[in-house]
Amino acid sequence: EFESRKSVFNSIIKWCIYIFVALMPLWFLPYTANILDFNKQVLMIVILTIALIAWVGKLLTQEKIELYKGLIVLLLLFFIVVYVVSSILSVRFYNSLMGLDNHLSRALINVIYFFIFFLLLVNYREGGEEKRNTEIFKILTILLSSSVIVGIIGLLQIFGKFIFPWDFAKLTAFNT
């Protein structure tokens, strides 16, 4: 029963990573005030929280907890600690935590969730080394495919071929 739970958790983690990597470059919603950053932030938080819960569930079902231990993890943890201290000491705590209206990308929550994404990637283990390499190849292929679509949309925008019906998207400078 533990193996079947572990398999379910692995599937959830894997599909969350796939969906996140595929949608992040493309995702926008025309129905909010901030059509790009805010919606990407929410997408990231929702998908990676589901993956994080599945990862914790997987760790709880294992007899032995194995985590990737490398210098990069320590350096990233140090960076996050510095970022947290900086955010706490900031004059505008909420803006440091969640981001400014037009600059959500520098928010502490984004830094933390990208670290979670990193941890999910380096700690996701299903099968042997060959299977892991296949998974990495799939993730890179999904990212590349999504990026190609973004590039095609961008080229269409530049040449005035607007595929989205909203006014904000009928500018040559618009990109996803």
Side-chain angles (χ1 to χ4, degrees):
E1 185 177 338
F2 285 123
E3 284 302 314
S4 66
R5 284 187 191 162
K6 186 176 166 185
S7 178
V8 169
F9 290 134
N10 274 337
S11 293
I12 292 170
I13 294 165
K14 177 174 64 173
W15 281 101
C16 283
I17 290 171
Y18 289 170
I19 292 167
F20 176 71
V21 169
L23 289 182
M24 199 59 154
L26 295 165
W27 189 257
F28 74 95
L29 293 175
Y31 310 110
T32 58
N34 186 328
I35 59 171
L36 289 173
D37 290 352
F38 175 73
N39 296 308
K40 287 179 189 281
Q41 186 181 53
V42 170
L43 175 76
M44 176 176 60
I45 290 169
V46 169
I47 291 176
L48 294 183
T49 298
I50 293 167
L52 180 63
I53 291 168
W55 184 45
V56 170
K58 177 185 161 187
L59 290 176
L60 293 174
T61 61
Q62 292 178 343
E63 295 173 6
K64 179 178 163 186
I65 295 178
E66 293 180 35
L67 298 174
Y68 176 79
K69 299 172 197 86
L71 180 61
I72 187 78
V73 174
L74 292 174
L75 293 173
L76 287 172
L77 278 173
F78 176 73
F79 174 74
I80 288 175
V81 167
V82 170
Y83 219 98
V84 166
V85 170
S86 173
S87 295
I88 290 170
L89 298 176
S90 173
V91 175
R92 295 190 170 106
F93 173 73
Y94 181 78
N95 290 343
S96 296
L97 180 65
M98 298 303 290
L100 297 170
D101 294 338
N102 293 326
H103 301 288
L104 297 176
S105 60
R106 297 184 198 127
L108 172 63
I109 194 158
N110 291 344
V111 172
I112 289 171
Y113 268 90
F114 277 118
F115 180 68
I116 289 170
F117 180 61
F118 168 78
L119 288 177
L120 289 168
L121 284 176
V122 298
N123 287 300
Y124 175 74
R125 291 185 180 93
E126 186 179 33
E129 189 69 29
E130 186 174 317
K131 176 126 174 137
R132 185 179 170 103
N133 290 339
T134 303
E135 286 299 318
I136 291 169
F137 182 75
K138 283 181 188 177
I139 292 167
L140 291 174
T141 302
I142 292 168
L143 179 61
L144 181 62
S145 301
S146 186
S147 298
V148 166
I149 294 169
V150 167
I152 291 169
I153 292 169
L155 284 173
L156 290 171
Q157 290 292 125
I158 289 171
F159 293 114
K161 306 293 183 199
F162 307 116
I163 61 173
F164 299 115
W166 307 284
D167 289 338
F168 66 83
K170 294 192 185 307
L171 301 170
T172 57
F174 174 75
N175 65 66
T176 61

